Amino acid sequence: MPRQTPRNILFVMFDQLRFDYLSCAGHPFLETPHIDALAARGVRFTRAYVQSPICGASRMSFYTGRYVQSHGAAWNNYPLKVGETTLGDHLRARGMDAVLIGKTHMKVDEDGLDRLGISRAGIIGARVAECGFDARVRDDGLWAEGADGPYDAKPSPYNAYLRERGYDGRNPWHDHANSAISDGDPEDAQGEIETGWLMRNARKPANIREEDAETPWLTDQAIAFLEERRRTRTLVPWLCHLSYIKPHWPYIVPPPYHALYGAEHVVPAVRTDAERAHPNPVHAAFMQSRVSRSFARDDVRNEVIPAYMGLIRQCDDQIGRLMTYLEQSGRLKDTMVVLTSDHGDYLGDHWLGEKDLFHDPSVKVPMIVYDPSPDADATRGTTCDALVEAIDLAATFVDVAGGEFPGHILEGRSLLPLLHGETPTDWRDFAVSEYDYSCTPMADALGMAPGDARLFMVVDRGFKLIHAEGGMPPMLFDLENDPDELVDLGRDPRHAKVVHDMREKLATWARRESQRTTVSDAQILARRAGAGGRTGVLIGAYDEDDVTANDLEPYTGRVTRTVQGASDER
Amino acid sequence: MPRQTPRNILFVMFDQLRFDYLSCAGHPFLETPHIDALAARGVRFTRAYVQSPICGASRMSFYTGRYVQSHGAAWNNYPLKVGETTLGDHLRARGMDAVLIGKTHMKVDEDGLDRLGISRAGIIGARVAECGFDARVRDDGLWAEGADGPYDAKPSPYNAYLRERGYDGRNPWHDHANSAISDGDPEDAQGEIETGWLMRNARKPANIREEDAETPWLTDQAIAFLEERRRTRTLVPWLCHLSYIKPHWPYIVPPPYHALYGAEHVVPAVRTDAERAHPNPVHAAFMQSRVSRSFARDDVRNEVIPAYMGLIRQCDDQIGRLMTYLEQSGRLKDTMVVLTSDHGDYLGDHWLGEKDLFHDPSVKVPMIVYDPSPDADATRGTTCDALVEAIDLAATFVDVAGGEFPGHILEGRSLLPLLHGETPTDWRDFAVSEYDYSCTPMADALGMAPGDARLFMVVDRGFKLIHAEGGMPPMLFDLENDPDELVDLGRDPRHAKVVHDMREKLATWARRESQRTTVSDAQILARRAGAGGRTGVLIGAYDEDDVTANDLEPYTGRVTRTVQGASDER
C-alpha cells in the first residue's frame, strides 16, 4: 500500500517555550489542555534538541534543515548566506507553498545579494530575504527603541495592526503590549508607563485588550490565511509556518492571564550550591550575566514565572482556537500539525537565566507532531524518546512533500517512520547543538577570540558533553544517574574515558561532508557505476591489452593529414 | 616604512607537476633552468601541500582560499556552489582584475544559478560560471571523445586555435596534440593515428609543431594579455591566472622534447615489496587501479616518465619566454610571480599511478613565489620549510591587494611575512588535505557509501596521518625517520598515541567555523563591545537598580492613553 502523507503542514513554533512547561510534559501547575489534546492526537517527542539554544541560529537550522556549523548563521542577526537552500526552496520545487506568519529572526545577506546581483524587488530576492518563505506577515516581535535607535529597523506589522485597532502613539507595542497598567485597572493608571522591560512589572496586566495581544493577533493571521485558501479553493498544498513571538520575554501578559498563576505555582529552581561553588569557567561566566543574577533570586522567579506561565496559557488557548478552526474547516483531515519551540528558558535553573547553554531547560524543546494519515493511527497519543533534532522537521516536511530526498543538503532525518511506529535501526545515536557566544560579554570575560568563543553539545542516551573551544575544560552530565544535570563530571578524571568517547562522536560529526550540496548521493553512485566511462578518457592504459576495442575505437581512425614541419621546428 | 607590495600578480599553475621534478628541487637528470632562475629570485616553499590531491577539488581551494570541506566541490566536476566567494570577488572589490588564461576545472552550479535567478549572460553569472575569473581563455585541455560523447562539452579554444593554424579534422587536439607520429617523421607515418591515450606511445613525438602545443599556446595567450595591458596603458592592477594544462597526462610531447630524456634518466620508483605485502586496505584498493598496475611495471615507467620529463622541460622553456617578456616589458619590477601545481603524480611510487592518495609525490607541490618588493630582498634564493597550504596563495593575493583581510572567509594565511623573512610565531603547526573518492571504483571495492568514501591527511613536522572514514584503519608515516613514507605505522599499536594526537588535530580543524562568512571578526568584536547596546532591549533587568537611567529613558514617559476595555475583555 502506498504511503499516505498529509497534504498540508501547519508548522507552529513558539519562542522560548520550555519543554517541561506543558501539562502533558508533567508540569504540576500549568494547564495546557489544547496542546495536550494535540499530543493526544499525535506523537510527543521527549528528547528533541535544537541545533543552537539561541533564536537566530536555531531558527536558521529549522529553516534550512542543516546544522549551525553548516549554514554559518551562528548568532542572532548573523545573515544567512545567499545560496543556502531553504525549506521553502525544497517545498516549492515539490509543488508546495511555504508561507510565513510571524517571527523568523532572519537577517538578509545584503553583501551576498549585491555580489550576485539579485534584486530585492523580485520574488527570488524577496524569498532569499525571508529565509525562503513567502512572508504574509513577518514580525519578530521586539519593537524596542533606545538611544541608538530601534532594535529592529523593519516596519512593524503588529504596530500597524494596533494602530488600526485604535491604539495610538508612535510605538503602540511599547506603550501597550509591553507596558503594564497598575493594579489591573487602566482607568486608575493615570497613564504612567510601567514597562514590561523591568521584570518587577511581570505580574501586572499588560495595557492591551487580550484579543489584541501578539499571540491572538498571529492566530488571527493564520486563520485568515486558511480562510483565504478555503475561499479561493486554491489547489496548491501549503506549509504555513505560524511562528509565535511568545512566551519569549518581555514577560508580561494581558488579563486574565496575568493573574492565573502565582508564586505558589512556581516550581523550585533546579540548582544546587555545589553548582555555584566549583563551576566550569564557561558556566561561571554565564552565571554572571544580569539575567542570570536576576533569576538567581527567588523573589524574581516568583514574580516572573507566573507571567511566563500566563503567556503559555494564552498560547495554549490560541492553539485551541486554531485546532477548532482546523477541525471545523475540514483541514485536520489533511494537515500535519507540528508544535515546537526554538529553544527553552532557564528561569533560574542552574543559576542561569535566558538560554545559551545546554542544560535541558535551554536546549530541549517541546515537539509534538500530529500526522492525519492512517499510517500514524498506531502512535496517536504516544511519546517517543528517540534522539530527535530540530533539523528533522525540515526533513520530515520535505519527505511529506515527496520526491527524491535531498540528503546531500538536508542533514536531518524524516520523522515519518517514527510517526508510523517504525524505529529505523540506523537512527542517530547522538545529537549535536552549538553555541557561538563571540558577541557576548562572556567572551570578553573569558578572553576568547571570535573563533574560540564556541561551544558544542553532544548528547546520547547516557551522557551529555559540552565541549568548549579555546582550551576550556568540558562539562559532562550523567543523564541516567543525574537527570537534572546538577553534577558536572567534565573535570572528573574518572570520567576521562566518557569525555574522550563523546569527543570522538563530536569529531565524527565535525568531519561530515556538509557542503557537497551540488551533487546528490544518487548522482555519485551513477557516476561511480559509469566510472572509466565512455567519453574517451583512458587513464593509465599502456597498450591495447589494457582497453577494450570499444574504448579505443575513437583513436584508431586515420589522421586526416599530418602537418608539414610538425617535427622539424627546432 | 609602509609595506611595499607588488602591483600585479602572475599566478602560474601547472597541472600534475610533482614537487621534486625540478632541478632546483633536486631532480638528478631533469633540467629546469628557468624555473630554477625564478626560485633564485624568490622563495621556494618545500612543504607546500594542496588541499586535495585531485584537480577539481584542489583548484576550487586555490580559487576560494578555503578547504574542500568548506567549499564542498570535493571531486572533479562537482559544481562549486553559487554563493562561494572567489579570489576574483575579493580582488575586484580591492580594485584588481582577475583574469584567467587556461584551465580551472570549474563546473558551474546550474541549479544554483536557476534557483537564484542569475543570468548566465550577465557579467555576474559569467564570473560565477568561471569561478570568479574574467576568462580570456578557458581551456581545461581534455578534448577526449568516446561512444558517450565528449568528456568536456564546452567549445575548445585550443581546437579553434589549431584550426586557425591549419590543423584540420573535427578534433585537431585529438589528431595532433594527442597523437604520435611514428619514428619522429610525419612523412613516414602514413597518417596512422598512434594515440597519446596509450602510454606505449609516450616516447613518440606528438604530431604537432612544438610552437602550437598547449604549453606554448597558453604562454602566447598570457603574453598577448600583458601586451594588451601595456598597449592600452590600463591602470587597473591585475592578477593573471596562467593555468597550464601540462604536464598532466596524456603523456606525449612534440619534438624535440620527446627525445630529451630516456630510460637512463628515470629515477627508480620509491616503493618496497613490504608496501605491497601488508597494505592498508585503502592503499591496496588504489594499487588495483589500471593506472597503478601500469606504473607498477618498470617498462611502463621507462616509457612514460621520459615523456613526462619532456613535458616539464617544455613547461620550463615557456617560463623562460614569459620571464624574458616580463623583464623586457618592465613588469618584473611590479609583478609578483607565483609558480605552483594543483597536485603531483605518483609515477609508480608506492605502487601507485596518478594522484589521489597523500604520499608526498601526490599531495606536495612545487611552490615558488617571487615578490618584487624590496621587503623580499633578504629572502631571495632561499627555501622555506614552513607548513604551507594551497589556500595560502589566495590569502597572499588578497593581502597584496590590500584592505581589510577577510579572515572569516579565507582560511589560508598570507605568505607575505614569510617572503619578508619573518616567521609568525603563531604559524600553523599542521596542514590538512582531503580526498573524496566516492565516485571511483575504489569506493565500490571497499564497499563505501558516498559519505564514507572520504580521506583526510593531517601532516605536521613529525608525522603524516591519513584518516579514512568508514571504519578503515589509518595510515601513518614517521617523516623524520622515514621521509620516503615507506613504512605505514597506522596499524602499529606502539604508535597509537601518535595516531590519537594527529586525530585530535584533525578534530580541532574539523570543528572550525568555516561557514560564518557573512560576519567578520571585526564586526563581532564591535558588537561585543556594544553588547547590551542602546536599542531598548533590556534583558534580565528586574528593577531600576539593574539599569541606568539612560537605558530606561525611553520607558519612563507617559502612555498617551490607555485603551478602553483593555482589562475587562474576559
Side-chain angles (χ1 to χ4, degrees):
Chain A
M1 198 176 76
R3 193 179 69 175
Q4 293 178 279
T5 54
R7 179 173 168 75
N8 309 305
I9 299 165
L10 181 61
F11 170 25
V12 178
M13 188 180 287
F14 291 105
D15 196 320
Q16 201 139 335
L17 174 61
R18 271 176 72 127
F19 78 99
D20 55 355
Y21 270 57
L22 299 173
S23 38
C24 60
H27 196 285
F29 304 113
L30 178 61
E31 297 105 340
T32 52
H34 302 293
I35 295 174
D36 295 359
L38 181 68
R41 292 177 186 267
V43 175
R44 185 167 65 84
F45 292 93
T46 57
R47 294 191 194 206
Y49 295 98
V50 285
Q51 261 48 70
S52 181
I54 185 165
C55 295
S58 173
R59 287 164 179 273
M60 295 310 109
S61 284
F62 272 107
Y63 305 149
T64 61
R66 291 161 58 72
Y67 291 103
V68 175
Q69 199 199 24
S70 302
H71 62 63
W75 212 62
N76 289 337
N77 298 316
Y78 281 21
L80 181 71
K81 59 183 189 295
V82 172
E84 279 294 304
T85 310
T86 61
L87 179 55
D89 294 322
H90 293 294
L91 294 184
R92 275 189 297 275
R94 289 161 175 78
M96 189 181 257
D97 282 345
V99 169
L100 167 70
I101 294 170
K103 174 169 180 172
T104 60
H105 225 119
M106 168 71 182
K107 170 92 170 173
V108 61
D109 174 11
E110 304 280 0
D111 292 347
L113 285 175
D114 287 344
R115 197 171 68 248
L116 293 172
I118 299 170
S119 161
R120 289 145 182 84
I123 185 73
I124 290 174
R127 284 170 174 160
V128 167
E130 293 293 2
C131 198
F133 290 108
D134 287 330
R136 272 178 76 95
V137 182
R138 160 78 187 276
D139 193 297
D140 286 354
L142 287 177
W143 304 107
E145 292 176 285
D148 294 343
Y151 172 78
D152 185 340
K154 295 190 291 294
S156 161
Y158 182 56
N159 264 339
Y161 166 80
L162 289 182
R163 271 184 227 106
E164 271 174 34
R165 295 280 291 168
Y167 298 83
D168 55 12
R170 200 172 46 80
N171 185 348
W173 173 83
H174 163 221
D175 292 349
H176 296 278
N178 193 36
S179 284
I181 44 178
S182 300
D183 304 323
D185 183 349
E187 303 310 311
D188 292 349
Q190 308 210 332
E192 192 71 29
I193 283 186
E194 303 207 74
T195 178
W197 285 116
L198 293 184
M199 294 193 294
R200 71 165 167 77
N201 296 320
R203 297 286 303 279
K204 295 173 184 160
N207 182 31
I208 195 166
R209 287 186 292 264
E210 192 277 328
E211 72 207 40
D212 292 329
E214 289 141 301
T215 304
W217 169 65
L218 286 172
T219 309
D220 292 346
Q221 301 293 317
I223 291 175
F225 163 72
L226 295 165
E227 270 294 285
E228 185 180 296
R229 288 275 159 151
R230 189 185 63 78
R231 226 172 37 239
T232 56
R233 295 183 175 77
T234 307
L235 292 176
V236 185
W238 46 263
L239 174 140
C240 174
H241 179 40
L242 171 55
S243 187
Y244 287 107
I245 293 160
K246 303 312 266 185
H248 193 284
W249 48 257
Y251 304 100
I252 188 164
V253 62
Y257 299 102
H258 77 294
L260 293 184
Y261 302 100
E264 68 277 22
H265 304 115
V266 173
V267 294
V270 177
R271 60 192 180 200
T272 64
D273 290 338
E275 279 184 294
R276 256 207 299 208
H278 304 291
N280 178 290
V282 176
H283 193 176
F286 279 81
M287 283 181 192
Q288 290 312 309
S289 71
R290 179 170 64 193
V291 67
S292 293
R293 284 183 281 112
S294 291
F295 277 99
R297 293 163 51 185
D298 280 333
D299 62 318
V300 171
R301 295 183 77 248
N302 289 340
E303 286 295 308
V304 176
I305 292 176
Y308 180 68
M309 292 167 70
L311 285 165
I312 294 169
R313 182 70 180 272
Q314 185 183 30
C315 290
D316 184 73
D317 280 338
Q318 294 303 314
I319 293 297
R321 271 183 76 201
L322 203 56
M323 292 300 288
T324 299
Y325 176 84
L326 289 175
E327 183 137 38
Q328 289 175 351
S329 62
R331 286 288 69 75
L332 215 46
K333 292 197 298 279
D334 61 10
T335 302
M336 170 177 274
V337 183
V338 174
L339 187 151
T340 190
S341 176
D342 60 346
H343 53 73
D345 192 327
Y346 271 110
L347 298 176
D349 290 352
H350 311 289
W351 307 103
L352 296 169
E354 273 271 79
K355 45 262 181 179
D356 302 355
L357 293 187
F358 299 98
H359 300 86
D360 275 359
S362 171
V363 75
K364 195 193 265 194
V365 288
M367 190 178 287
I368 298 168
V369 182
Y370 158 71
D371 178 347
S373 85
D375 296 341
D377 285 348
T379 61
R380 299 196 190 288
T382 63
T383 59
C384 176
D385 71 352
L387 283 168
V388 165
E389 298 185 318
I391 53 178
D392 295 341
L393 287 184
T396 304
F397 302 156
V398 172
D399 195 14
V400 164
E404 197 180 346
F405 188 78
H408 58 305
I409 304 175
L410 295 178
E411 298 188 296
R413 304 246 341 221
S414 171
L415 299 175
L416 287 187
L418 298 174
L419 294 169
H420 297 170
E422 304 149 23
T423 303
T425 52
D426 64 343
W427 194 257
R428 73 169 63 82
D429 57 6
F430 64 93
V432 175
S433 188
E434 305 167 65
Y435 186 53
D436 178 336
Y437 62 101
S438 304
C439 282
T440 73
M442 284 68 89
D444 261 350
L446 295 168
M448 289 288 153
D452 288 334
R454 295 168 65 227
L455 310 171
F456 294 90
M457 176 200 79
V458 188
V459 64
D460 60 19
R461 301 185 74 87
F463 289 91
K464 181 188 282 184
L465 176 85
I466 292 111
H467 168 84
E469 299 292 343
M472 309 301 268
M475 300 176 74
L476 181 75
F477 299 108
D478 178 341
L479 301 181
E480 279 184 36
N481 298 304
D482 174 28
D484 285 335
E485 307 172 306
L486 290 166
V487 183
D488 174 10
L489 304 167
R491 290 160 289 163
D492 173 1
R494 287 166 302 176
H495 285 83
K497 169 103 174 62
V498 178
V499 169
H500 174 269
D501 291 349
M502 297 295 280
R503 273 191 170 143
E504 278 294 297
K505 294 184 180 197
L506 179 61
T508 300
W509 172 85
R511 291 191 311 264
R512 78 199 182 281
E513 196 169 30
S514 69
Q515 304 301 317
R516 193 250 297 154
T517 53
T518 58
V519 186
S520 71
D521 285 15
Q523 287 171 318
I524 287 174
L525 294 175
R527 282 178 68 167
R528 192 194 291 182
R534 297 187 307 167
T535 57
V537 171
L538 299 177
I539 302 175
Y542 181 70
D543 59 18
E544 286 77 354
D545 291 344
D546 287 338
V547 292
T548 66
N550 188 36
D551 285 335
L552 212 56
E553 189 278 330
Y555 307 120
T556 52
R558 295 180 71 82
V559 175
T560 313
R561 68 175 174 86
T562 55
V563 170
Q564 282 297 329
S567 67
D568 59 6
E569 285 293 302
R570 321 171 46 140
Chain B
M1 198 177 74
R3 191 180 70 175
Q4 293 178 280
T5 52
R7 180 173 169 74
N8 309 305
I9 299 164
L10 181 61
F11 170 26
V12 179
M13 188 180 288
F14 291 104
D15 196 320
Q16 201 139 334
L17 174 60
R18 270 176 72 127
F19 77 99
D20 55 354
Y21 270 56
L22 299 173
S23 39
C24 60
H27 196 286
F29 305 112
L30 177 62
E31 297 104 341
T32 52
H34 303 294
I35 294 174
D36 296 359
L38 181 67
R41 291 177 186 268
V43 174
R44 185 167 64 84
F45 293 93
T46 58
R47 294 190 195 208
Y49 294 97
V50 285
Q51 260 49 69
S52 181
I54 185 164
C55 295
S58 173
R59 287 165 179 271
M60 295 309 109
S61 284
F62 273 107
Y63 305 149
T64 61
R66 291 162 57 73
Y67 291 103
V68 175
Q69 200 200 22
S70 302
H71 63 63
W75 211 62
N76 289 337
N77 298 316
Y78 281 21
L80 181 70
K81 59 183 188 294
V82 172
E84 279 294 306
T85 311
T86 61
L87 179 55
D89 294 322
H90 294 293
L91 295 183
R92 275 189 297 275
R94 289 162 175 77
M96 188 180 257
D97 282 344
V99 169
L100 166 69
I101 294 170
K103 174 170 180 171
T104 60
H105 224 119
M106 168 70 181
K107 170 92 169 172
V108 61
D109 174 10
E110 304 280 1
D111 292 346
L113 284 175
D114 287 344
R115 197 171 66 249
L116 293 172
I118 300 169
S119 161
R120 290 145 181 85
I123 185 74
I124 291 174
R127 284 170 173 160
V128 167
E130 292 293 0
C131 198
F133 290 108
D134 287 329
R136 274 178 74 96
V137 182
R138 160 77 187 276
D139 193 296
D140 287 354
L142 287 178
W143 303 107
E145 293 176 285
D148 294 340
Y151 172 79
D152 184 340
K154 294 189 291 295
S156 162
Y158 182 56
N159 264 340
Y161 167 80
L162 289 181
R163 272 183 228 107
E164 269 173 36
R165 295 281 290 170
Y167 297 83
D168 55 13
R170 200 173 46 81
N171 186 348
W173 173 83
H174 163 222
D175 293 350
H176 297 279
N178 193 36
S179 283
I181 45 178
S182 300
D183 304 323
D185 183 350
E187 303 310 310
D188 292 350
Q190 307 208 331
E192 191 73 29
I193 282 186
E194 305 208 74
T195 177
W197 285 116
L198 293 184
M199 295 194 294
R200 69 164 169 76
N201 296 321
R203 298 285 304 277
K204 295 173 185 162
N207 181 31
I208 194 166
R209 288 184 292 263
E210 191 276 328
E211 71 207 41
D212 292 329
E214 289 140 302
T215 303
W217 168 65
L218 285 172
T219 309
D220 292 346
Q221 300 294 318
I223 291 174
F225 163 72
L226 295 165
E227 270 293 283
E228 186 181 295
R229 287 276 158 150
R230 188 184 63 77
R231 227 173 37 240
T232 57
R233 295 183 177 78
T234 308
L235 292 176
V236 186
W238 47 263
L239 174 139
C240 175
H241 180 40
L242 172 55
S243 188
Y244 288 107
I245 292 161
K246 303 313 257 182
H248 193 284
W249 48 256
Y251 305 101
I252 189 165
V253 62
Y257 299 101
H258 77 294
L260 292 185
Y261 302 101
E264 68 277 22
H265 303 116
V266 174
V267 294
V270 177
R271 61 193 180 200
T272 65
D273 289 338
E275 281 184 294
R276 254 204 303 205
H278 305 290
N280 178 290
V282 177
H283 192 176
F286 279 81
M287 283 181 191
Q288 290 312 310
S289 71
R290 179 170 65 192
V291 67
S292 293
R293 285 182 280 113
S294 290
F295 276 100
R297 292 164 50 185
D298 280 334
D299 62 318
V300 172
R301 295 184 78 248
N302 288 340
E303 286 295 308
V304 175
I305 292 176
Y308 180 67
M309 293 168 70
L311 284 165
I312 295 169
R313 182 70 181 271
Q314 184 185 29
C315 291
D316 184 73
D317 280 338
Q318 294 303 314
I319 293 297
R321 272 183 75 202
L322 203 56
M323 292 300 288
T324 300
Y325 176 83
L326 289 175
E327 182 136 40
Q328 290 175 351
S329 61
R331 285 288 69 75
L332 215 46
K333 292 196 299 280
D334 61 9
T335 303
M336 170 177 273
V337 182
V338 174
L339 187 151
T340 190
S341 177
D342 60 345
H343 53 73
D345 192 328
Y346 270 110
L347 297 176
D349 289 353
H350 311 289
W351 306 103
L352 297 168
E354 273 271 79
K355 46 262 179 179
D356 302 356
L357 293 189
F358 298 98
H359 299 87
D360 275 359
S362 171
V363 76
K364 195 193 266 195
V365 288
M367 190 177 289
I368 297 168
V369 182
Y370 158 71
D371 177 347
S373 85
D375 296 339
D377 284 350
T379 61
R380 299 196 191 288
T382 63
T383 59
C384 175
D385 70 354
L387 283 168
V388 164
E389 299 185 318
I391 54 177
D392 294 341
L393 287 183
T396 304
F397 302 157
V398 172
D399 195 15
V400 165
E404 196 180 347
F405 187 78
H408 58 306
I409 303 174
L410 295 178
E411 299 189 294
R413 305 259 323 234
S414 170
L415 299 174
L416 287 187
L418 299 173
L419 293 169
H420 298 169
E422 306 148 21
T423 303
T425 53
D426 65 343
W427 194 258
R428 73 170 61 84
D429 57 6
F430 64 93
V432 175
S433 189
E434 305 167 67
Y435 186 53
D436 179 336
Y437 63 101
S438 304
C439 282
T440 72
M442 285 68 90
D444 261 349
L446 295 168
M448 289 288 153
D452 289 334
R454 296 168 63 227
L455 309 172
F456 294 89
M457 175 199 81
V458 188
V459 65
D460 60 20
R461 301 185 73 88
F463 288 91
K464 181 188 282 184
L465 175 84
I466 292 110
H467 168 83
E469 298 293 344
M472 310 300 269
M475 301 177 72
L476 181 75
F477 299 108
D478 178 342
L479 301 181
E480 278 183 37
N481 298 303
D482 174 29
D484 285 335
E485 308 172 305
L486 291 165
V487 183
D488 174 10
L489 304 167
R491 290 160 289 164
D492 174 1
R494 288 167 301 178
H495 285 80
K497 169 100 174 59
V498 178
V499 168
H500 174 269
D501 292 349
M502 298 296 280
R503 274 191 169 144
E504 277 294 298
K505 293 184 180 198
L506 178 61
T508 300
W509 171 85
R511 291 191 310 263
R512 78 199 181 282
E513 196 169 30
S514 69
Q515 304 302 318
R516 193 250 297 155
T517 53
T518 58
V519 186
S520 71
D521 285 14
Q523 288 171 317
I524 287 174
L525 294 175
R527 282 177 68 167
R528 191 193 293 182
R534 298 187 308 167
T535 57
V537 171
L538 299 178
I539 303 175
Y542 181 69
D543 58 20
E544 286 76 355
D545 292 345
D546 286 339
V547 292
T548 66
N550 188 37
D551 283 337
L552 212 57
E553 189 277 329
Y555 307 120
T556 52
R558 296 180 71 81
V559 174
T560 313
R561 67 175 176 86
T562 55
V563 170
Q564 282 297 330
S567 67
D568 58 5
E569 285 293 301
R570 311 169 57 137

